[in-house]
Amino acid sequence: MTAAPEIGSARLRSEDAKLITGQTNWTDNIQLPGLLHVAFLRSPVSHARITRVDVEAARQRPGVVAAFSGADFADEQGSLPCAWPVTEDMVLPDHPPIAVDEVRYAGEPVAVVVARDRYAAADALEAIDVDYETLPAVLDMEEAIKEGADLVHSDKGTNQSYEWVFEAGDIDAAFRDAPVVIERRYIQQRLIPTAMEPRAVVCSVVGDEYTMWSATQIPHILRLMLATVTGIPEHRLRVIAPDVGGGFGSKLQVYSEEVICLLLARRLGRPVKWTESRSEGNASVHHGRDQIQRLSLAAEADGRIRGLKVDLLADMGAYLMLVTPGVPLLGAFMFNGIYKMDAYTFKCAGIFTTKTPTDAYRGAGRPEATFGIERLMDELANELSLDPLEVRRRNWITHEEFPYDTIAGLTYDSGNYEAATDKATELFDYDALRAEQAERRERQDPVQLGIGVSTFTEMCGLAPSRVLGSLAYGAGGWEHASVRVLPSGKVEVVTGSSAHGQGHETAWAQITADRLGVPFEDVRVLHGDTGISPKGMDTYGSRSLAVGGVALYNACDKVVEKAKRVAAHLLEADEKDIEFAGGSFSVRGVPDQTRSIQEISLATFAAHDLPEGFEPSLDSDATHDPDNFSFPHGTHLCAVEVDTETGFAKIRSYIAVDDVGKVVNPLIVEGQVHGGLAQGIAQALYEEAVYDADGNLTTTTMADYLVPSATDLPTFTTDRTETPATTNPLGVKGVGEAGTIASTPAVVNSIVDALRPYGVADVPMPCTPERVWRAIRGGGPEHSPRPGAGGGLGSAGGEA
């Protein structure tokens, strides 16, 4: 009997058993003989000149082995790398892992202590004496680029790192005499990635061999970058990402602590460990978002979009980290969303401030873009008194038009926005909710009902290497996989993707089981260790399945091709007549003559009777470099009840219909969508990194930085449509970031929709009860205009 296909099966994740029974191997769990513990002293001010650092008293504390200032490492610590110089004239300041003569954000390391236990190391920090000469904090991007502004890097003469511009079509013609022009200013607030597992590093050195265990998403990239920064030969350095508890982009980085722990291990000849506290992490892990979006949209009187202008200020923080400057530019290709238009311009300036550096956070540039265009589509609908869904239907790419070359220069291979929207509106009972909304408005119910729409796509599966090269990115976008067929017929899969909660071990085993016809349980997936998996580009940007999964698919096919040659020899048949199905090789027309793949693997191992010149191994490798991105899409609908007396907004129902192409494991897809929704809703309603006027981060604890729990979130209704990708043999698209990208504008649109009768055109994120309440009452310059603002045809809406 032929086994049921694994691809498409809702298998429970095989890796979860150890995760939920306390058998995980987090970095902080690692113990080595002679292990020392590391603690960092961090700057308490946002900008200051360091005039003196005295660590001598700390060295005398009980249990302390060593203490160092930045000056002690000045000759060997190098500069933390930035791999994405987005323009030739980009301003790229040095970024020492420990500050030597100046600090530029609160939380920047200024000294380090090594002790026999973590408590002794932490206690000794108070004995370090640092003198600071305070310099002006630079916090406001718009002020930072004015003439005469205080400078973050005085030797650079400017706070602007770069300006990047994209233009397509005749934008002046699109806006000239346009019946409708909408102008809006939106703020993408600063966010702090909050992975379940804090960052941690362990380093050891034996002879000239270095090993680092790190809670990282990118062991391969980290090894290369550490070798570049420290001068340790790459082939003498092994990086292991053991069990890693989430990352969301925050562990796509080369951090100060990783470099310094490696140097400490080398200097002391002892293994060292550092694990961050949550407060330490909030101040020093790279942050996300933080943009000012100035957007203009021109449209015809019937709602058809003529042109879109995007002008961004993106906060880089104090330094450029691994991909900091490129993150907002990923949005350049997504601001047009799923819509057709005649012209488009995108301009982004990267600005230095005295805040924690920013970098990739779940979605990285694409949530910001989707928020902007989806908010504008609702504003356009309001201007024209059209239903928000109708104005989208008049502008989106129809399913007959694929493949479609967008105004932003991408080719969308496949999609069906009509089908996803039809399913979503049916599940949502859209018409009934609109009727209830009208009825509540009619009777002036203090609790108003709002309906938010987000029809989105994203580019993921990073990425074709040639495209990354054209954008000056410092690496390629390929992925590698190896398949090792053991003598017993069991299979080991080695992947360059480094899982940190995505479910790779399950999904990769499902692909392998189908392609080789072996039981799911006979496949073991190895990853996250450069000593075991030496080739890889790691996990980020929803790329693992669309790139790494395809590499695995191709490697399996190479195994089958090798095995066919052995089977033909053993069956005394021509190789061209060998057929393979369900793990069995047979001769065409002679179905009773078969050899299983397990028999072939054992015969290959024994090598007693192999074809002349055949290398006795079925093992195969494949490296896949995609021809295109993948473009998942979907329609998300949110119904929210807003208490106009208190400002409290409660999500009543949330429908997410996503199209991620072919699905390998529906349970994993559901999990990814649910997690993404939680983070997108969190940006809309809860999370914000806040700095005071002196540049001190005031949201350093979980009590101050509000991450929603399951009880704060609604029950999601999720479903799918399926439009396979045409650019890879699996037909798969990415899913890891979809929920985050789609949900933020859906929620904010629903709140604004509820408050339209009150003249509210925007509520700044996060839409806390206070901000909603103030918006209703028109309080404060950041809040919305009163009734009557916005105008109708022929008018230009004011900034919200």
Side-chain angles (χ1 to χ4, degrees), residues 2 54 69 111 193 434 458 486 600 786:
T2 303
D54 186 349
S69 67
R434 282 291 183 202
E458 60 152 325
L486 306 181
I600 298 297
R786 298 299 301 159

Side-chain angles (χ1 to χ4, degrees), residues 241-258:
D243 291 322
V244 178
F248 313 121
S250 70
K251 295 172 182 174
L252 196 184
Q253 195 54 265
V254 180
Y255 280 107
S256 297
E257 296 84 359
E258 291 166 323

Side-chain angles (χ1 to χ4, degrees), residues 304 337-342 392-406 410-418 723 726:
R304 189 183 68 79
I338 65 171
Y339 308 113
K340 297 174 283 189
M341 58 189 71
D342 303 324
R392 287 169 168 81
R393 285 192 181 97
R394 294 183 185 186
N395 285 285
W396 69 33
I397 303 158
T398 63
H399 70 277
E400 300 95 343
E401 295 177 286
F402 288 96
Y404 186 87
D405 295 331
T406 75
L410 298 179
T411 300
Y412 294 174
D413 64 317
S414 65
N416 192 329
Y417 310 137
E418 305 97 307
T723 311
T726 63

Side-chain angles (χ1 to χ4, degrees), residues 181-464:
V181 174
I182 296 173
E183 297 178 339
R184 292 291 185 269
R185 177 180 182 272
Y186 296 128
I187 303 295
Q188 289 283 325
Q189 79 270 36
R190 178 174 279 247
L191 301 174
I192 303 175
T194 310
M196 187 77 77
E197 180 204 14
R199 292 180 295 137
V201 184
V202 173
C203 289
S204 74
V205 55
V206 177
D208 60 353
E209 302 288 335
Y210 296 81
T211 302
M212 173 182 286
W213 293 261
S214 178
T216 180
Q217 297 175 226
I218 53 166
H220 300 90
I221 294 173
L222 181 59
R223 180 171 77 153
L224 174 59
M225 293 293 104
L226 289 173
T228 302
V229 171
T230 65
I232 294 172
E234 185 182 359
H235 65 296
R236 299 296 184 190
L237 175 59
R238 177 183 182 184
V239 175
I240 301 171
D243 291 322
V244 178
F248 313 121
S250 70
K251 295 172 182 174
L252 196 184
Q253 195 54 265
V254 180
Y255 280 107
S256 297
E257 296 84 359
E258 291 166 323
V259 172
I260 296 302
C261 283
L262 189 57
L263 297 180
L264 287 170
R266 179 167 68 179
R267 183 172 289 199
L268 301 174
R270 297 271 298 273
V272 300
K273 177 195 286 188
W274 169 79
T275 301
E276 72 178 1
S277 68
R278 187 63 70 179
S279 296
E280 191 176 27
N282 275 20
S284 61
V285 72
H286 74 237
H287 292 177
R289 312 286 194 268
D290 206 343
Q291 291 183 1
I292 298 173
Q293 302 178 325
R294 297 172 291 203
L295 312 176
S296 302
L297 182 145
E300 302 285 3
D302 64 358
R304 189 183 68 79
I305 300 172
R306 294 172 59 158
L308 173 66
K309 292 191 284 191
V310 176
D311 185 1
L312 301 184
L313 294 180
D315 194 336
M316 306 284 98
Y319 302 99
L320 303 183
M321 297 196 72
L322 193 61
V323 296
T324 299
V327 167
L329 306 188
L330 292 172
F333 307 98
M334 287 284 101
F335 262 97
N336 53 299
I338 65 171
Y339 308 113
K340 297 174 283 189
M341 58 189 71
D342 303 324
Y344 169 55
T345 63
F346 175 95
K347 183 174 73 173
C348 176
I351 309 300
F352 291 116
T353 62
T354 53
K355 301 179 196 170
T356 301
T358 60
D359 207 301
Y361 178 53
R362 200 168 189 173
R366 292 154 286 164
E368 299 94 310
T370 301
F371 180 88
I373 187 63
E374 289 303 296
R375 288 289 293 114
L376 286 180
M377 294 306 287
D378 262 32
E379 294 302 297
L380 178 60
N382 182 60
E383 287 283 331
L384 299 174
S385 298
L386 289 172
D387 185 282
L389 282 174
E390 178 56 28
V391 81
R392 287 169 168 81
R393 285 192 181 97
R394 294 183 185 186
N395 285 285
W396 69 33
I397 303 158
T398 63
H399 70 277
E400 300 95 343
E401 295 177 286
F402 288 96
Y404 186 87
D405 295 331
T406 75
I407 194 71
L410 298 179
T411 300
Y412 294 174
D413 64 317
S414 65
N416 192 329
Y417 310 137
E418 305 97 307
T421 302
D422 288 346
K423 180 170 281 191
T425 53
E426 180 183 351
L427 291 169
F428 196 59
D429 203 357
Y430 188 84
D431 292 338
L433 284 170
R434 282 291 183 202
E436 180 183 338
Q437 180 186 57
E439 186 272 329
R440 288 197 185 201
R441 288 179 176 178
E442 178 65 24
R443 60 181 165 86
Q444 298 184 0
D445 192 324
V447 179
Q448 289 289 311
L449 179 65
I451 296 170
V453 177
S454 176
T455 52
F456 80 103
T457 187
E458 60 152 325
M459 64 174 195
C460 59
L462 296 175

Side-chain angles (χ1 to χ4, degrees), residues 248-249 289 360-364 367 671-673 675-676 679 735-737 740-741:
F248 313 121
R289 312 286 194 268
Y361 178 53
R362 200 168 189 173
Q672 290 287 331
V673 171
Q679 283 185 295
V735 67
E737 296 156 309
T740 301
I741 291 169

Side-chain angles (χ1 to χ4, degrees), residues 7 19 50 97 150 232 283 378 384 403 408 414 511 542 574 602 709 724:
I7 293 179
L19 294 176
I50 300 172
D150 295 314
I232 294 172
D378 262 32
L384 299 174
S414 65
I511 294 170
S542 301
D574 191 296
L602 185 59
S709 69

